């Protein structure tokens, strides 16, 4: 069946621009997660949704990062006023409960 | 969070040999451990998991071993194939449904033909 999909796959932004990254979870998965993966590192937790409720956003690096999942399905991670240190792969994962299934990620490069 | 995964960052293996990838974790409260495989340009792919009440679990060509005494986790891959070349991450959580997984830095496995 269809897995987690993310778009765009690649994004180049000029410093100061706003970006929006989209995640389409596996149909029926209640839980959705965002991770940030720096080059050569493991993924780091950003935020977690259960249906439309954002239950934990403790991993978001700053208030420039904002995530939403208004209808409990598709989620968007928005980064305002991007900075060079925001360059990373942003991974989305979904889960029915327990095992997390990851999407291919969006590679963000901020110039 | 706690750091997971003191390890050798790279591992070169001859095709057909067995591979062993190691991971040390530091949070003794962790109850759930997972191995993920990440190929270039792709997201992490679930391989196998184990709970802390077990010390061994087997899947297809893979075995995960957990030693809680020394807080060590290993992934064994039997008869390594070229398609096994990837970065392997161990991750830990406080429970099976713990949403806040902590990942190690990963081990890059290269399979030599």
């Amino acid at each position: 069946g269809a897995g987690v999909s993310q778009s765009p796959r690649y994004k180049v932004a000029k410093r100061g621009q706003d970006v929006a990254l989209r995640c389409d979870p596996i149909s029926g998965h209640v839980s959705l997660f965002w991770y940030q993966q720096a080059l050569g590192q493991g993924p780091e937790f950003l935020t977690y949704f259960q249906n439309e409720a954002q239950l934990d956003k403790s991993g978001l690096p700053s208030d420039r990062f904002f995530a939403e999942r208004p209808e409990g399905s598709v989620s968007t991670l928005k980064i305002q006023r991007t900075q060079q240190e925001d360059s990373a792969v942003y991974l989305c994962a979904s889960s029915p409960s327990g095992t997390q299934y990851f999407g291919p990620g969006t590679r963000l490069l901020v110039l | 969070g706690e750091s997971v995964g003191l390890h050798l960052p790279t591992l070169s293996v001859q095709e057909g040999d067995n591979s062993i990838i190691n991971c040390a974790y530091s949070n003794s409260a962790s109850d759930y451990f997972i191995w993920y495989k990440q190929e270039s340009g792709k997201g992490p792919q679930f391989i196998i998991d184990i709970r802390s009440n077990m010390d061994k679990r087997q899947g297809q060509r893979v075995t995960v071993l957990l030693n809680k005494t020394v807080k060590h986790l290993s992934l064994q891959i039997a008869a390594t194939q070229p398609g096994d070349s990837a970065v392997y991450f161990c991750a830990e959580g406080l429970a099976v449904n713990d949403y806040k997984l902590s990942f190690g830095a990963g081990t890059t496995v290269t399979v030599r033909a």
Side-chain angles (χ1 to χ4, degrees):
Chain A
V4 178
S5 60
Q6 294 186 244
S7 61
R9 292 295 315 278
Y10 304 93
K11 178 68 179 178
V12 179
K14 293 182 179 179
R15 189 174 55 184
Q17 281 185 331
D18 297 348
V19 298
L21 312 180
R22 177 187 168 106
C23 172
D24 285 79
I26 295 172
S27 178
H29 281 194
V30 169
S31 301
L32 185 144
F33 317 82
W34 284 97
Y35 290 82
Q36 181 189 60
Q37 185 174 25
L39 188 64
Q41 300 297 314
E44 292 196 2
F45 171 84
L46 294 178
T47 187
Y48 160 62
F49 290 85
Q50 189 171 77
N51 295 307
E52 69 279 4
Q54 188 175 23
L55 299 186
D56 188 335
K57 56 181 181 179
S58 63
L60 296 177
S62 75
D63 58 7
R64 295 186 296 104
F65 287 71
F66 172 77
E68 60 183 4
R69 193 186 186 197
E71 297 179 357
S73 178
V74 172
S75 177
T76 304
L77 176 66
K78 298 179 179 178
I79 309 174
Q80 298 177 324
R81 305 181 302 283
T82 53
Q83 300 178 5
Q84 287 185 321
E85 59 263 33
D86 299 335
S87 296
V89 174
Y90 291 87
L91 294 164
C92 175
S94 70
S95 172
S97 65
T99 303
Q100 296 182 25
Y101 298 92
F102 284 82
T106 295
R107 184 175 297 275
L108 173 66
L109 176 63
V110 182
L111 302 177
Chain B
E2 297 279 358
S3 172
V4 176
L6 296 176
H7 61 288
L8 291 175
T10 62
L11 178 66
S12 180
V13 183
Q14 184 69 39
E15 182 179 358
D17 287 353
N18 297 334
S19 304
I20 300 176
I21 306 165
N22 296 304
C23 176
Y25 64 94
S26 57
N27 188 351
S28 56
S30 290
D31 178 62
Y32 180 56
F33 304 89
I34 316 102
W35 281 100
Y36 281 93
K37 171 187 179 184
Q38 188 173 28
E39 297 174 274
S40 181
K42 297 183 179 180
Q45 176 188 358
F46 173 87
I47 301 173
I48 193 168
D49 59 4
I50 189 168
R51 294 193 63 182
S52 63
N53 61 352
M54 303 172 68
D55 54 20
K56 180 179 181 179
R57 191 166 187 218
Q58 290 184 293
Q60 188 176 14
R61 279 201 311 118
V62 295
T63 300
V64 56
L65 299 177
L66 175 63
N67 185 330
K68 295 180 289 294
T69 302
V70 295
K71 290 185 284 189
H72 183 268
L73 190 69
S74 69
L75 177 70
Q76 300 177 0
I77 304 174
T80 311
Q81 303 170 358
D84 295 328
S85 292
V87 180
Y88 290 80
F89 293 99
C90 63
E92 63 178 317
L94 295 178
V96 170
N97 59 355
D98 183 15
Y99 58 87
K100 208 165 184 175
L101 297 179
S102 293
F103 284 78
T107 296
T108 300
V109 173
T110 302
V111 180
R112 305 188 306 272

